[in-house]
Amino acid sequence: MVSRRTSRKASPSPAPNPAYLWSSGGLVPWDEATVHISAIAWSTVSAVFEGIRAYWNEGEEELYIFRLQSHLDRLRDSMKLMRMSSPYSSEELSIAITELLKTNHAREDTYIMPLAYFGGSLPGYRAAYQQPGEILITARPLASNMRGNRGSRGSHCCISSWVRISDNVMPPRAKGIANYQNSRLAETEASINGYDAGIILNTQGKVAEGSYACVFIVRDGVVITPGITSGILESITRDTVIRLFRDVLKVPVVERDVDRTEFYVAQEAFFCGTYMEIEPILSVDRYTTGSGRPGPLTRKLRRLYQDVVRGRDKAYAQWQAPGWHRP
Ligand code: PMP
């Protein structure tokens, strides 16, 4: 029997704002970056964004942006799905991000968030294809959740009563702000009911993903995750995890439909995402996962992931964009 105590920790106090953000083509002092209040409502409906982590490598005195190109590619795809054209190329956005980190003297783990939206005076829902989107980029300090295996102890989860949005309703593969209402409802429900996180089923009744992360289970030495047509965001961390298992840890990975009860009998389970990183799942609907502690493959993966994202493991140097110290 699993205790009803959750592992949720108290929220840290908010860090002060960085000096600058990047908006519509240039650096703007944080406090001067304002919009008219009437622009808030409809502009958010079609807004899409990215969440990117940069990791500070102490030994090399370098800030590494993890898989920047993959995130910019996904931002382009999300904008396309919203029929929003971009006034900036990926190269321009990549330079903008580096400039922003440099101007803010970022020398610690950082979360970078480009947001694309329809600005101007037309309501956001009408502006599609009549004008290009606008882009805003913020970068704020955000420490990693992983410190060896002494980071997060893991999450107690439930199967959410909320169903994942489907491709013919609001495409989950777009990282759209509006999609996050689905995630927020699931997360809030889980939290109110005493869990750390919810796992969301899709319209076929199969497992899709967590509120803000993809999910994996381990059964009999095989790593299993729902496929990319199961109503998930095409997660960059999911792709990283699949490659690390196959190429480095030499563990087979299968992408297929997953039933909720497979989570009840799995030997291991974990969430993965840029923000969440690798988060062990300790129980689902009070069914203990494995021993009730992070499993051996999850721990191995978490150690490897930390070395890769922080640029200590040079086998995946192509995934590292130098933040600004060695441009
Ligand atoms: N699914 C959802 C719903 C998410 O919000 C996230 C976080 N972006 C993920 C999966 C993980 O995606 P990524 O690994 O690209 O951050």
Side-chain angles (χ1 to χ4, degrees), residues 52-219:
I52 308 167
R53 270 192 190 261
Y55 289 87
W56 178 247
N57 182 316
E58 194 67 56
E60 295 177 27
E61 298 246 302
E62 180 62 87
L63 186 70
Y64 285 117
I65 312 172
F66 189 60
R67 299 199 62 172
L68 176 59
Q69 193 54 51
S70 307
H71 283 282
L72 293 177
D73 289 349
R74 188 171 65 185
L75 180 66
R76 182 204 57 217
D77 290 348
S78 294
M79 291 175 76
K80 183 175 184 184
L81 284 168
M82 296 302 122
R83 301 193 187 278
M84 186 189 292
S85 61
S86 175
Y88 310 105
S89 65
S90 276
E91 292 70 39
E92 286 170 320
L93 292 178
S94 172
I95 292 167
I97 287 171
T98 313
E99 249 182 43
L100 179 60
L101 293 171
K102 185 173 181 179
T103 308
N104 283 337
H105 303 287
R107 289 174 62 89
E108 61 195 305
D109 293 355
T110 300
Y111 191 72
I112 304 157
M113 197 174 129
L115 176 85
Y117 61 101
F118 286 117
S121 54
L122 279 177
Y125 68 96
R126 293 230 333 255
Y129 64 80
Q130 294 172 359
Q131 63 187 53
E134 292 183 25
I135 295 187
L136 155 76
I137 308 171
T138 56
R140 321 186 63 129
L142 180 73
S144 168
N145 299 313
M146 306 181 298
R147 286 182 306 281
N149 279 312
R150 296 187 303 280
S152 165
R153 287 194 315 263
S155 293
H156 294 285
C157 305
C158 60
I159 300 294
S160 180
S161 72
W162 294 98
V163 171
R164 187 69 180 132
I165 48 172
S166 74
D167 203 41
N168 297 320
V169 178
M170 290 164 60
R173 67 171 42 74
K175 196 168 163 69
I177 290 282
N179 291 0
Y180 278 81
Q181 179 63 343
N182 186 225
S183 305
R184 202 188 71 82
L185 286 168
E187 185 76 2
T188 309
E189 177 192 59
S191 176
I192 287 170
N193 289 340
Y195 297 93
D196 296 311
I199 294 171
I200 312 174
L201 306 182
N202 63 25
T203 46
Q204 279 80 47
K206 303 293 179 186
V207 173
E209 57 187 338
S211 305
Y212 308 105
C214 280
V215 285
F216 284 75
I217 54 174
V218 180
R219 296 191 67 191

Side-chain angles (χ1 to χ4, degrees), residues 67 216 223 238-255 297 300-301 304 308 313 315-319:
R67 299 199 62 172
F216 284 75
V223 171
R238 174 185 177 279
D239 178 69
T240 302
V241 165
I242 290 174
R243 292 186 201 213
L244 294 180
F245 270 127
R246 286 187 181 147
D247 301 345
V248 183
L249 300 174
K250 307 291 178 202
V251 178
V253 181
V254 178
E255 298 174 61
L297 280 178
K300 253 191 200 169
L301 171 73
L304 175 61
V308 168
D313 186 329
Y316 288 92
Q318 78 274 14
W319 282 344

